[in-house]
Amino acid sequence: NEDGRFVIAQAGSFQGPGIGQYYLASLADEVWIQRTSEMNAVGLLSTTVFLRGVFDKIGARADMGQRYEYKNAANVYTETDYTPAHREATTRLLQSLYDTLTADIAERRKMNVTGLRALIDNAPYLTQGALDAKLVDRTGFWDDAKDAAKERAGAGSDIVTLADYYEREGSPYDHPYSNDGTIALVAAEGAIVDGGSSESYLDGQQMGGDTIAAADDDNVKAILLRVNSPGGSALASDVILDQLRKAQGRGKKVVVSMGPVAASGGYWISMYADVIFASPATITGSIGVLSGKLIVTDTYRLVGLSPAQIGIGANANIASEFAVWTPEQRAKFEAGLDQIYASFTAAVAEGRKLPIERVREIAKGRVWSGVDALDLKLIDRFGGLDDALKETIKLAGLENAKRVNVRVYPQISAWDVFWSSLGGAATTADAAGGLVMRPSP
């Protein structure tokens, strides 16, 4: 670039079935692969494994409710194939992501988009084929690429890891002794759950409503919310949103920076922000709700178990996996979904300043790419975490401050925030949601 810095991307091969790995590498000035390699940049693929057939074999049944037909996570448990709405939404999402990624790759590789897509349709390639197609520039191993980088950088240069460089240069996110003003950078990462945040091997990172809501204090001038979440508990999502709204009521600006996914509950907590940033490939929207339970009485009986229950109260068994809902219980369940959906869509209309009729058209549980979300006015701008931080500082009136203290919540390193901000440009359609009794937006 203009300051003389350059990037070399070296890979043993591009073995992944999609174009995500290659998309990231294509942003470099040079792309290297090893001399005996392969390049499997063949497009984008979303795979859904439907469980209905297994449930039928073992005598189980998923009793689900969803608002509405595009809230596709429920289909995993109730169908054996894509419904028309599920197929439509997933196809459009993949197409939008494919169009965005291939356009960016073509620009970086100085190619015609149509020609690049033809090359992708002809993939996979072996090493020489990738060179001939000008999808890569050179062959070489990791140490060869490092030596080439040192030679190009000139005398006195050395190789350091990105983490070491970042630590040595100083974090742009943390100036703890500044008195000019504080920005709260809140990492809203993972599934949204009731209670506190947690992280485990099985469940991954989970965003606790109580933990995220506690991030504000009197010293904070504005809040930057970095959202990377497929959703989760409606109750926890509303706790987070409530605290953000109250902070705004105290005169504080709220900016959202969306990562790879900000859907369902991830969108719920974002919709009242003063400005929402996302990438063209961010998966967002999914304005809807689903919930249900798995009935396993016959499954237990298959192995000789005999579940029996005694309850006090007419609806004591409403959440039981051994009880089918009565018509009255089903009506109460559906009313709960209606309440959440009505609340969600009304809040989107108010927060995004859209007519409620328009929100109902684009909601229905449908996910959108960042490109489509911008057209639909569900987000405001394209940009990364740095763009969002600059906007937050501007809205806080701290543009002329000598130093701004950016305090990270929960207490993770600024390096972790920076590293997570790199992800998501090549995100494709991931399965979102789970089979839980708690309503999930």
Side-chain angles (χ1 to χ4, degrees):
N1 55 28
E2 293 180 358
D3 64 2
R5 299 186 183 188
F6 61 92
V7 176
I8 295 176
Q10 190 276 343
S13 65
F14 295 100
Q15 294 180 330
I19 59 175
Q21 293 177 345
Y22 179 66
Y23 170 75
L24 183 61
S26 73
L27 302 176
D29 298 281
E30 292 182 9
V31 180
W32 291 40
I33 57 174
Q34 289 180 199
R35 63 192 179 196
T36 304
S37 186
E38 58 184 336
M39 185 167 186
N40 290 339
V42 293
L44 295 179
L45 178 69
S46 175
T47 300
T48 302
V49 178
F50 294 92
L51 302 177
R52 170 67 183 273
V54 173
F55 291 165
D56 289 346
K57 289 181 181 297
I58 64 174
R61 180 169 65 87
D63 203 346
M64 304 291 294
Q66 62 203 87
R67 298 293 184 274
Y68 278 98
E69 65 269 25
Y70 294 103
K71 199 68 176 176
N72 299 326
N75 297 344
V76 172
Y77 309 104
T78 61
E79 308 292 335
T80 58
D81 198 357
Y82 294 104
T83 64
H86 193 170
R87 185 176 298 277
E88 174 196 352
T90 303
T91 301
R92 173 55 200 164
L93 177 62
L94 291 175
Q95 187 65 57
S96 178
L97 295 172
Y98 182 79
D99 292 346
T100 298
L101 300 184
T102 53
D104 286 351
I105 293 170
E107 181 180 2
R108 289 295 302 176
R109 300 297 300 172
K110 297 179 173 58
M111 292 181 175
N112 176 274
V113 176
T114 302
L116 172 67
R117 291 172 184 167
L119 290 173
I120 291 174
D121 285 340
N122 197 40
Y125 296 96
L126 299 179
T127 305
Q128 191 58 49
L131 286 166
D132 293 343
K134 301 188 184 303
L135 293 171
V136 299
D137 301 294
R138 295 181 61 176
T139 61
F141 293 89
W142 174 236
D143 56 341
D144 299 322
K146 288 196 295 184
D147 291 342
K150 289 178 64 176
E151 181 179 352
R152 180 170 173 178
S157 61
D158 198 6
I159 301 292
V160 297
T161 66
L162 190 58
D164 289 342
Y165 170 81
Y166 190 69
E167 182 177 355
R168 184 183 68 190
E169 292 295 309
S171 166
Y173 301 123
D174 191 19
H175 298 303
Y177 303 110
S178 168
N179 294 318
D180 294 323
T182 297
I183 301 294
L185 172 54
V186 182
E189 182 84 20
I192 302 173
V193 298
D194 299 325
S197 297
S198 64
E199 185 170 4
S200 69
Y201 176 77
L202 292 176
D203 297 326
Q205 192 163 350
Q206 294 184 320
M207 180 200 326
D210 294 346
T211 300
I212 300 300
D216 189 22
D217 64 39
D218 293 338
N219 295 321
V220 170
K221 304 298 182 185
I223 298 170
L224 172 55
L225 191 69
R226 174 67 177 184
V227 180
N228 182 27
S229 173
S233 165
L235 292 176
S237 299
D238 216 22
V239 168
I240 296 170
L241 179 64
D242 175 67
Q243 291 303 306
L244 292 171
R245 296 285 288 136
K246 286 175 178 175
Q248 287 174 313
R250 295 191 293 272
K252 300 179 182 183
K253 298 296 184 180
V254 173
V255 176
V256 164
S257 169
M258 291 180 169
V261 182
S264 201
Y267 192 77
W268 184 303
I269 65 178
S270 306
M271 58 191 171
Y272 277 98
D274 296 283
V275 184
I276 299 177
F277 287 83
S279 79
T282 295
I283 297 174
T284 189
S286 193
I287 302 164
V289 59
L290 68 89
S291 186
K293 63 179 181 178
L294 190 63
I295 309 298
V296 294
T297 305
D298 291 340
T299 307
Y300 275 56
R301 288 172 178 165
L302 281 175
V303 295
L305 300 174
S306 300
Q309 296 181 312
I310 297 174
I312 304 299
N315 295 313
N317 65 350
I318 194 169
S320 171
E321 67 270 34
F322 301 118
V324 176
W325 281 318
T326 65
E328 294 77 15
Q329 288 173 337
R330 181 81 199 193
K332 291 178 182 294
F333 167 72
E334 295 288 350
L337 296 182
D338 287 336
Q339 175 178 266
I340 293 173
Y341 187 73
S343 177
F344 200 170
T345 51
V348 172
E350 182 179 45
R352 299 303 302 163
K353 299 178 176 59
L354 293 170
I356 186 63
E357 296 78 15
R358 179 56 174 156
V359 173
R360 289 170 182 156
E361 289 176 4
I362 63 179
K364 302 179 183 179
R366 181 163 180 170
V367 293
W368 303 96
S369 69
V371 170
D372 288 340
L374 183 63
D375 289 340
L376 297 172
K377 300 183 179 179
L378 293 176
I379 66 171
D380 296 298
R381 304 178 200 172
F382 292 146
L385 183 60
D386 286 342
D387 300 306
L389 178 57
K390 290 175 183 176
E391 181 67 15
T392 308
I393 291 172
K394 176 183 175 182
L395 293 178
L398 298 173
E399 284 181 292
N400 297 321
K402 293 181 180 179
R403 303 186 81 185
V404 177
N405 174 26
V406 181
R407 189 175 302 162
V408 180
Y409 296 90
Q411 293 302 308
I412 60 175
S413 71
W415 164 250
D416 290 334
V417 176
F418 168 76
W419 186 250
S420 70
S421 74
L422 297 179
T427 299
T428 58
D430 294 326
L435 187 61
V436 292
M437 188 60 194
R438 178 75 69 191
S440 301

